[in-house]
Amino acid sequence: LERFHARQLRVSPHVLGHSKAHVGRVVAELVRAAKAQGLQPGPLALSLRGDFVCIGSAYEQHKVRSPDCFDILVPLRLPPHLEPQPRRADGLGPCGAFVCGLRARDGRTRRCRPFAEGFCVELQGRSHLSSGLVLRWFQGHLQRCLGAVRYRLQERCRVSLSACPGQPPTLHILPCSDYVCCHISMAVRLIPAIPLGDALYLTALPPEGPHGSLGPEALWGLNASRQEQRLLGWLKEQAPAASCHLKCLQILKGLRDLRRHGLEEPFCSQWGRALSSYVLKTALFSLLLQGPLEAWDERFLVERLEDLVLYLRDCLRKQVLMDFFLGNTSIPEAVALPRFLKEAAPVNLLSAFDGPTLDLVAFHLISTWMQAPHIIRMYSSPRYLRPVPTP
């Protein structure tokens, strides 16, 4: 396991630091240009707030393999007449996720009709901000502003923007000369985000949501990445200096990815979704706070990794793994949570899967752990390690 982590999973801090710095400079240029060329802030305008928020494994120290993919939230500035409305009780939106609508307040729709007609859809007789229309505007706006960025950065790198329907746009960065030491081409997913305050954001739901007239068009998902970063920072301070909790997460993600090569569809996709990085991270958070953090010293790597696998196995068999931040009263007081999260209804991350599927995932998870050396040897050739091409 140590050799697997060192040779295939561990990302060079030097290369990752170069990549993050380069991504930060390019995205800052693009956001600055998009804000300057956007609509002027006002009661009927949609524009960029002017900043961006770095999220995901590359910024949480558990990135695996190569620092070539990054996620960044781009906060938007909205008119003041929209109010968040959690919709989980209505049965709308995908299972296993907290969804929220942005509803126009009573008496304001007529006054803001141009904005409502351009960016809102009807849901149960009320006007709601459409994630699809906002995403379409965001993609077009960034594409129009790309020319200025491309001109300013032409000596450092080549940049381009690609987008798939229903997906956030991806900024592709290909460094020139020796600015980035390893010439790694980077893909940066730019995610339009609606600020809720207290470092909470709403983002568009993934396209695999339910299809229908209600659908995900008028619904948004909750993003608590900043709270995850705060918790990870607190854990780093409290845990031993040689804590292995992030290495456990990296190894489990690596084993999950290797095991996928031996699975057939449709179970292969279900395996990846049931053991998504967010699910693995949630299980790690829950397990970390159940016992003394001194037990996560690197000397006990195998024992803690086995504990994590068995904890996940039990969650899959019980078909219950609650979102760590929604309505959780056992989070340390040092990690300040917004009131919106404290009062939110708990969400079971596994409720989107049926019992037989989760039982099969649990079986393959234990099988993967018991056969880890064999799986690492079998699927560690360059043929299997080649990244899957993105659309």
Side-chain angles (χ1 to χ4, degrees):
L1 292 175
E2 288 278 9
R3 191 161 56 248
F4 172 55
H5 178 267
R7 292 183 178 180
Q8 298 185 30
L9 301 179
R10 182 180 177 272
V11 177
S12 164
H14 174 75
V15 176
L16 181 60
H18 269 275
S19 300
K20 289 196 293 187
H22 196 51
V23 166
R25 289 189 181 95
V26 175
V27 172
E29 290 276 0
L30 181 58
V31 169
R32 191 180 304 118
K35 182 187 179 186
Q37 298 181 24
L39 299 175
Q40 293 300 317
L44 306 179
L46 182 63
S47 60
L48 272 65
R49 197 171 68 179
D51 59 334
F52 58 91
V53 181
C54 301
I55 64 171
S57 58
Y59 300 94
E60 296 173 358
Q61 311 306 316
H62 55 88
K63 181 75 173 171
V64 295
R65 293 203 166 91
S66 177
D68 54 354
C69 297
F70 299 85
D71 285 342
I72 288 183
L73 297 180
V74 182
L76 306 180
R77 182 182 282 112
L78 291 176
H81 67 279
L82 296 168
E83 59 181 355
Q85 183 187 32
R87 305 304 300 251
R88 183 172 177 268
D90 300 339
L92 303 176
C95 296
F98 181 91
V99 295
C100 186
L102 284 166
R103 186 179 66 181
R105 291 192 178 99
D106 295 330
R108 301 298 298 270
T109 306
R110 289 184 180 179
R111 193 180 309 173
C112 301
R113 185 174 298 277
F115 179 86
E117 291 177 350
F119 297 103
C120 295
V121 294
E122 292 293 323
L123 179 61
Q124 297 180 341
R126 297 293 300 272
S127 183
H128 287 70
L129 185 68
S130 164
S131 58
L133 294 176
V134 170
L135 188 59
R136 195 177 309 163
W137 170 87
F138 181 74
Q139 292 171 348
H141 187 52
L142 291 186
Q143 192 69 55
R144 288 189 295 271
C145 300
L146 189 61
V149 175
R150 185 182 288 119
Y151 175 76
R152 286 200 289 263
L153 299 174
Q154 60 185 354
E155 294 184 359
R156 289 183 181 176
C157 59
R158 295 197 297 270
V159 294
S160 61
L161 197 68
S162 65
C164 294
Q167 296 274 11
T170 299
L171 182 69
H172 300 277
I173 304 173
L174 183 61
C176 301
S177 69
D178 292 327
Y179 186 77
V180 176
C181 55
C182 296
H183 297 274
I184 296 175
S185 59
M186 292 160 280
V188 186
R189 194 167 58 144
L190 301 174
I191 306 170
I194 309 299
L196 286 182
D198 295 318
L200 266 182
Y201 299 92
L202 294 178
T203 57
L205 292 171
E208 56 262 24
H211 300 284
S213 57
L214 298 177
E217 181 75 7
L219 300 175
W220 298 75
L222 190 66
N223 187 290
S225 295
R226 294 294 290 167
Q227 281 69 37
E228 296 173 33
Q229 292 173 1
R230 290 173 185 171
L231 179 61
L232 285 169
W234 179 82
L235 289 170
K236 185 177 180 180
E237 294 175 356
Q238 302 298 319
S243 177
C244 65
H245 62 282
L246 292 181
K247 184 182 289 188
C248 286
L249 181 58
Q250 289 175 310
I251 292 175
L252 192 54
K253 288 198 294 185
L255 290 174
R256 173 204 62 189
D257 295 342
L258 289 186
R259 187 66 185 90
R260 182 181 295 172
H261 294 298
L263 304 176
E264 297 182 357
E265 293 291 355
F267 180 67
C268 182
S269 297
Q270 295 170 337
W271 165 266
R273 288 173 50 227
L275 296 180
S276 67
S277 295
Y278 189 75
V279 167
L280 299 184
K281 188 161 54 173
T282 300
L284 177 67
F285 287 158
S286 303
L287 191 60
L288 276 166
L289 296 186
Q290 286 184 6
L293 293 177
E294 290 75 16
W296 289 85
D297 190 274
E298 194 158 7
R299 295 174 297 161
F300 312 115
L301 171 68
V302 176
E303 291 90 338
R304 298 292 79 79
L305 191 50
E306 182 168 302
D307 289 344
L308 182 56
V309 170
L310 294 177
Y311 180 81
L312 261 173
R313 188 269 315 266
D314 293 342
C315 291
L316 291 166
R317 287 180 174 175
K318 297 174 184 176
Q319 304 176 32
V320 175
L321 177 62
M322 306 307 294
D323 188 287
F324 188 78
F325 291 98
L326 296 172
N328 188 353
T329 58
S330 62
I331 295 179
E333 295 183 359
V335 183
L337 282 189
R339 181 179 176 183
F340 191 93
L341 282 182
K342 292 180 180 179
E343 298 178 352
V347 170
N348 179 13
L349 298 178
L350 301 178
S351 61
F353 305 92
D354 56 35
T357 297
L358 294 180
D359 286 341
L360 191 57
V361 172
F363 169 77
H364 279 284
L365 177 64
I366 292 297
S367 174
T368 301
W369 172 244
M370 294 177 65
Q371 303 178 48
H374 172 70
I375 290 175
I376 291 172
R377 287 193 300 268
M378 177 178 290
Y379 296 115
S380 292
S381 66
R383 169 190 172 189
Y384 291 107
L385 296 179
R386 191 179 302 123
V388 178
T390 56

